[in-house]
Amino acid sequence: MKHITPTLKLSSFHCPHCEVMAVQTWSYDISCRYQFNQADGRLVTTAYQLKNTFIAKCAHCQEVSIWINQKMTYPLTGNIEAANPDLPENIKYDYNEAKNIFNISPRGSAALLRLALQKLCIHLGEKGKNINDDIENLVKKGLPKSMQQALDSVRVIGNNAVHPGVIDLNDKVEIAYALFGFINVICEVLISQPKKIQEYYDTNIPENIRQVINERDKK
């Protein structure tokens, strides 16, 4: 299922807490109540309205997300899709760390994601020294050509690309956001899909048939 990014006032999206695609109930008129002691010692209760603040409640897990001035402020990781579960653990760690700081520092997030992309290229058998060359080789291994063009369009592998792990002061939110998706897509095409095919083959093709196929392939 396509990841539906949490968006202000959207009726349904992937919950930032449980990551389930669920209906969101929005609250717009939010008031706070607080108590304080006056000079004479009397306890007084008062209330005030929160401006430009919205709360969405997930129908699945009942947790809430808080939005201030059209931006999700809680949880911080809410508007990023979860890491592909088939990513190697060290790469998933970088991905999740980038996810944790995305709303605080998109440029720092992009730097971590470039590092994760470099590690992913190495995991897939490339040298990891030049992302441009690595992606070009991965295209030959089955990665769609459009992915190379997409990466280049956000200055990830073009002539002006920064080195993995280095913060580019010109990075924007859109670049970091795109990198999350690119890493997951590369993993899906070159790791998850071959894994699913192999699992299907091992589970559903009888051993004697597999032996015949292996002998045929040797020829």
Side-chain angles (χ1 to χ4, degrees):
M1 177 185 292
K2 179 183 177 181
H3 177 79
I4 304 300
T5 302
T7 305
L8 183 65
K9 299 183 182 180
L10 193 63
S11 60
S12 300
F13 51 68
H14 278 89
C15 174
H17 295 282
C18 64
E19 298 182 353
V20 171
M21 178 66 181
V23 171
Q24 305 292 321
T25 302
W26 288 91
S27 298
Y28 303 99
D29 298 322
I30 303 168
S31 61
C32 291
R33 299 180 63 198
Y34 67 98
Q35 294 179 324
F36 64 95
N37 290 314
Q38 290 188 328
D40 60 5
R42 287 188 302 126
L43 185 64
V44 177
T45 300
T46 187
Y48 62 93
Q49 295 291 123
L50 292 178
K51 297 181 179 180
N52 299 319
T53 301
F54 306 89
I55 294 178
K57 185 176 182 180
C58 174
H60 182 262
C61 69
Q62 304 301 307
E63 292 288 348
V64 300
S65 57
I66 301 174
W67 304 67
I68 300 176
N69 294 325
Q70 301 186 5
K71 181 179 180 180
M72 184 189 293
T73 58
Y74 171 82
L76 287 175
T77 61
N79 48 356
I80 303 298
E81 62 182 303
N84 188 311
D86 290 324
L87 279 171
E89 287 302 318
N90 63 325
I91 301 172
K92 193 183 300 182
Y93 182 88
D94 290 337
Y95 184 102
N96 288 332
E97 184 174 351
K99 183 179 177 182
N100 288 338
I101 68 169
F102 175 73
N103 283 339
I104 300 173
S105 176
R107 291 181 298 189
S109 181
L112 281 167
L113 291 168
R114 285 193 176 91
L115 181 61
L117 180 60
Q118 180 190 45
K119 291 180 179 179
L120 182 57
C121 289
I122 294 173
H123 177 80
L124 293 169
E126 303 305 322
K127 296 179 181 179
K129 295 181 179 180
N130 185 307
I131 294 179
N132 188 29
D133 291 342
D134 290 348
I135 297 298
E136 184 176 350
N137 289 332
L138 292 178
V139 169
K140 296 176 182 178
K141 295 179 180 179
L143 191 66
K145 179 68 176 178
S146 57
M147 178 59 66
Q148 185 176 22
Q149 296 168 342
L151 287 164
D152 193 49
S153 71
V154 293
R155 297 168 40 257
V156 174
I157 62 174
N159 292 330
N160 297 322
V162 294
H163 296 292
V166 176
I167 292 179
D168 183 353
L169 297 180
N170 295 314
D171 270 343
K172 298 179 180 180
V173 170
E174 293 80 5
I175 292 177
Y177 188 76
L179 280 167
F180 284 108
F182 293 156
I183 289 173
N184 273 343
V185 169
I186 292 173
C187 179
E188 175 64 26
V189 173
L190 298 180
I191 297 179
S192 298
Q193 291 181 4
K195 176 183 175 182
K196 292 174 185 175
I197 292 171
Q198 187 63 51
E199 288 176 349
Y200 180 86
Y201 180 82
D202 293 340
T203 303
N204 295 281
I205 306 300
E207 177 64 27
N208 61 324
I209 301 298
R210 276 186 274 162
Q211 291 178 356
V212 172
I213 294 174
N214 290 336
E215 289 298 323
R216 181 204 63 191
D217 292 343
K218 289 180 182 179
K219 297 178 181 180

